[in-house]
């Protein structure tokens, strides 16, 4: 593995662990200048998330600057038009994989709904700036770390299936929701397929960004409209059902 990749892994892990020091430090600093600890506790989380993710992304892109400048000479790399098609199709593949995994989890008796997602949506409702992290910065970092570096390194030694399974499970475990291991692994496997199909990391990045954005829009911005439509559909269904009784 390239030394730059090791540096990126260290940066990513440090970013994830930095919350345990950064948030308390910001909270304490805010209290010192007059904010209440309750106010500062929330502000500190938002500020640190945006700051740490942004710094990690900038550092990662800096380390990959030489690779990004080099033109691809791999004949197997998908064309631009094919990559666009796969990026769009990838959104639907990821949503399908997520839905299928969610149904299997439900069948196994696992409660539907991700605690991580609900916490992020709660933050977005109060601080819309967080959507930049959840829908853009986060997916870019995850695709670089879990697909380009981890999956890519495994694929040099193993076949696609094993490489995708191992990297996807690591991706799932990184989300710290062991009960939704299948859900996150299914998404990770889909993004690994998109990467190997096109040989372009930008394809799973676009699909991941689009999927996260779609989930945020559905569960926050359009949540009330969707709930109203479901209630209306249910009322119509009851009315039609009553006509045949």
């Amino acid at each position: 593995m390239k030394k730059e990749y090791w540096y990126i892994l260290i940066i990513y892990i440090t970013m994830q662990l930095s919350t345990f020091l950064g948030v308390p430090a910001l909270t304490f600093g805010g209290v010192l200048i007059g904010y209440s600890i309750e106010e500062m506790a929330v502000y500190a989380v938002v500020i640190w998330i945006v700051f740490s993710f942004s710094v990690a992304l900038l550092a990662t892109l800096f380390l990959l600057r030489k690779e990004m400048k080099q033109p691809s000479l791999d004949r197997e790399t998908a064309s631009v038009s094919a990559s666009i098609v796969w990026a769009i199709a990838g959104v639907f593949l990821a949503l399908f994989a997520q839905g299928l995994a969610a149904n299997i989890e439900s069948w196994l008796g696992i409660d539907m709904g991700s605690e991580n997602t609900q916490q992020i949506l709660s933050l977005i409702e109060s601080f819309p700036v967080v959507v930049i992290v959840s829908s853009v910065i986060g997916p870019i970092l995850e695709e670089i770390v879990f697909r380009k570096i981890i999956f890519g390194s495994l694929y040099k030694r193993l076949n696609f299936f094993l490489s995708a399974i191992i990297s996807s499970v690591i991706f799932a475990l990184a989300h710290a929701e062991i009960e939704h291991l299948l859900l996150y692994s299914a998404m990770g496997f889909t993004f690994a397929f998109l990467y190997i199909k096109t040989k372009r990391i930008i394809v799973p990045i676009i699909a991941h960004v689009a999927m996260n954005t779609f989930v945020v829009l559905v569960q926050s911005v359009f949540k009330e409209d969707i709930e109203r439509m479901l209630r209306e559909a249910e009322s119509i269904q009851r009315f039609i059902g009553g006509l045949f009784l």
Side-chain angles (χ1 to χ4, degrees):
M1 189 186 296
K2 297 179 182 180
K3 64 178 181 180
E4 289 85 0
Y5 289 179
W6 285 110
Y7 294 153
I8 291 171
L9 290 177
I10 292 172
I11 289 170
Y12 186 79
I13 294 171
T14 302
M15 177 202 73
Q16 295 287 4
L17 298 178
S18 68
T19 303
F20 296 106
L21 292 177
V23 172
L26 281 177
T27 303
F28 180 70
V31 171
L32 289 179
I33 61 177
Y35 287 94
S36 68
I37 191 168
E38 291 80 9
E39 288 179 321
M40 211 47 224
V42 178
Y43 289 134
V45 170
V46 174
I47 292 170
W48 193 258
I49 286 176
V50 175
F51 171 76
S52 61
F53 272 77
S54 299
V55 170
L57 178 60
L58 291 173
T60 297
L61 294 178
F62 176 78
L63 290 169
L64 294 176
R65 67 192 186 283
K66 292 182 180 179
E67 284 191 30
M68 292 188 292
K69 290 180 180 179
Q70 294 174 352
S72 177
L73 300 178
D74 189 347
R75 293 182 180 179
E76 296 182 0
T77 301
S79 64
V80 174
S81 58
S83 297
I84 293 173
V85 170
W86 275 111
I88 296 172
V91 179
F92 297 97
L93 286 174
L95 289 172
F96 174 78
Q98 185 182 46
L100 180 61
N103 283 323
I104 294 174
E105 288 186 350
S106 178
W107 180 72
L108 293 173
I110 300 172
D111 292 335
M112 296 183 67
S114 166
E115 186 177 341
N116 281 345
T117 301
Q118 294 307 315
Q119 289 176 347
I120 292 171
L121 290 173
S122 179
L123 283 176
I124 291 174
E125 289 179 2
S126 301
F127 306 94
V129 68
V130 176
V131 76
I132 298 174
V133 174
S134 66
S135 296
V136 182
I137 300 177
I140 293 174
L141 283 173
E142 288 180 345
E143 292 310 307
I144 291 174
V145 169
F146 295 102
R147 250 61 68 185
K148 183 177 180 62
I149 296 179
I150 297 179
F151 167 75
S153 298
L154 289 170
Y155 187 63
K156 291 179 180 179
R157 298 171 175 80
L158 304 171
N159 60 38
F160 167 76
F161 186 79
L162 284 177
S163 302
I165 286 292
I166 295 171
S167 61
S168 297
V169 170
I170 295 173
F171 171 69
L173 292 174
H175 285 80
E177 285 189 303
I178 191 67
E179 69 275 17
H180 295 302
L181 183 70
L182 180 61
L183 184 70
Y184 287 112
S185 295
M187 290 188 291
F189 194 95
T190 303
F191 295 136
F193 168 76
L194 292 174
Y195 181 38
I196 202 63
K197 187 70 179 179
T198 62
K199 303 295 193 302
R200 292 180 183 271
I201 192 61
I202 190 64
V203 172
I205 284 177
I206 292 174
H208 198 161
V209 167
M211 192 193 75
N212 279 25
T213 302
F214 174 78
V215 171
V216 169
L217 290 175
V218 168
Q219 297 194 31
S220 59
V221 179
F222 300 123
K223 182 179 180 180
E224 293 182 0
D225 293 333
I226 292 174
E227 289 178 347
R228 187 186 71 253
M229 290 170 61
L230 289 174
R231 287 195 299 269
E232 292 175 354
E234 185 178 353
S235 298
I236 293 172
Q237 185 179 19
R238 286 200 300 267
F239 174 74
I240 295 175
L243 293 177
F244 292 95
L245 289 177

